[in-house]
Amino acid sequence: MFIYKNTKISYSDSGKGNVVLLLHGFLEDATMWKNAILHLEKRYRVIAVDLLGHGKSECYGYVHTMEDQADMLFALIADLRLRKVSLIGHSMGGYVALAFAELYPDHIRSLILLNSSAQPDSEERKINRDRAIEVVKKNSPAFVRMATQNLFNSEAHQLFPKQIEALTQQALQTPVQGIIAALEGMKIRIDREALLHFSPYPKLMIASESDTIIPLEDVKNQTEGTEVTLEIIPGGHVSTIEQESKVLLIIRNFLKKNG
């Protein structure tokens, strides 16, 4: 446990070697990385953090901007006396990773965005975030169940019912303030596509063919004309469930060269 501005932050720390920092997505927590940790800790020092308002980490404010999350991460790695890290972020965790990369570029060894985007919310998406916030205020469990179920298509529901239910149960533990603060923070995040073009460290984006949250075409457009490595895999948004072995292999191979 780490204390950041009187706020408890939960994280795990295992293995030895170059540091890999794992960042989960919205309504997830660090436990989503349990199998990734088992694979990576044999070769790296692996730190998995519960972001503000998620998992066992407390809420810091009424809005958790991506920059707030990044500042918290910087305070953590400073406390641990770490110099450079390889950042891996799923979905919202990718937004946080990009904010960290912009604010603290000297501390990045490599960057992996998993089912994530460097683009800001569209106007339509911002409206949908506001609608979601109203639903959360009235019935948070109903919102969480709907949100997690909508991450998967019918085929995935048939193939991974236990994993999806486990994800749902974990998401239901997210406090109302944490959900709203994250929605507000994602809604106002800025465009960071320039980092994909001009940052000097190795970058990888993993995109799923049937991702309804971060469409594949959007990711293709963002990586065009950059030196970002793009890996396209089957399945939907939560690739750590639908394509876990494939994702871990891609990450491992990338880190061997760049981590």
Side-chain angles (χ1 to χ4, degrees):
M1 195 68 74
F2 167 67
I3 304 298
Y4 172 70
K5 297 185 177 180
N6 298 317
T7 304
K8 291 180 182 176
I9 304 299
S10 176
Y11 70 97
S12 65
D13 186 350
S14 61
K16 293 181 179 179
N18 287 342
V19 179
V20 177
L21 184 57
L22 302 174
L23 306 177
H24 63 79
F26 177 56
L27 297 179
E28 299 170 338
D29 66 18
T31 61
M32 71 163 284
W33 298 112
K34 61 183 178 181
N35 289 333
I37 291 169
L38 291 173
H39 277 75
L40 294 172
E41 68 183 0
K42 298 169 187 174
R43 190 179 180 115
Y44 305 97
R45 181 176 178 182
V46 184
I47 298 172
V49 184
D50 284 343
L51 294 172
L52 295 167
H54 285 69
K56 295 178 182 176
S57 290
E58 295 178 338
C59 294
Y60 170 65
Y62 291 105
V63 178
H64 293 152
T65 66
M66 303 305 101
E67 293 81 8
D68 289 335
Q69 302 276 15
D71 288 341
M72 177 273 288
L73 292 174
F74 178 70
L76 174 62
I77 69 167
D79 185 70
L80 295 173
R81 298 184 179 181
L82 306 176
R83 200 173 77 81
K84 282 187 180 285
V85 300
S86 291
L87 273 178
I88 304 177
H90 177 248
S91 195
M92 183 183 76
Y95 310 154
V96 175
L98 286 162
F100 184 96
E102 182 172 89
L103 293 169
Y104 306 105
D106 292 344
H107 294 275
I108 300 289
R109 178 175 283 108
S110 61
L111 177 66
I112 300 176
L113 304 179
L114 177 60
N115 302 110
S116 195
S117 171
Q119 294 176 335
D121 272 359
S122 65
E123 291 306 312
E124 180 184 4
R125 194 75 177 272
K126 289 177 182 178
I127 292 169
N128 288 337
R129 300 267 193 216
D130 286 332
R131 288 174 178 160
I133 288 166
E134 293 307 310
V135 174
V136 172
K137 289 177 180 177
K138 293 174 184 174
N139 192 336
S140 174
F143 168 79
V144 169
R145 285 191 177 279
M146 178 182 67
T148 53
Q149 296 300 302
N150 287 344
L151 295 174
F152 303 91
N153 63 24
S154 57
E155 182 183 2
H157 278 285
Q158 291 178 347
L159 291 172
F160 308 103
K162 289 182 180 179
Q163 294 94 325
I164 294 171
E165 180 58 25
L167 174 63
T168 303
Q169 290 303 317
Q170 173 267 307
L172 285 166
Q173 304 306 309
T174 313
V176 170
Q177 184 184 343
I179 297 172
I180 294 174
L183 287 166
E184 293 280 13
M186 289 188 289
K187 184 179 73 176
I188 60 174
R189 73 183 191 279
I190 64 172
D191 189 328
R192 291 195 163 93
E193 282 190 80
L195 285 175
L196 303 182
H197 287 266
F198 302 116
S199 54
Y201 39 79
K203 295 168 286 290
L204 166 68
M205 293 183 79
I206 303 174
S208 300
E209 292 173 342
S210 305
D211 191 336
T212 56
I213 308 299
I214 308 291
L216 175 58
E217 285 306 312
D218 288 357
V219 179
K220 284 182 177 178
N221 289 338
Q222 290 173 56
T223 56
E224 189 174 346
T226 74
E227 294 184 356
V228 176
T229 300
L230 173 60
E231 293 280 357
I232 300 170
I233 58 176
H237 188 65
V238 191
S239 56
T240 50
I241 288 178
E242 295 188 48
Q243 296 290 331
E244 185 174 59
S245 59
K246 194 163 287 190
V247 167
L248 290 177
L249 180 61
I250 292 169
I251 288 173
R252 226 169 34 234
N253 288 339
F254 181 81
L255 289 176
K256 271 183 189 176
K257 296 178 183 175
N258 306 292

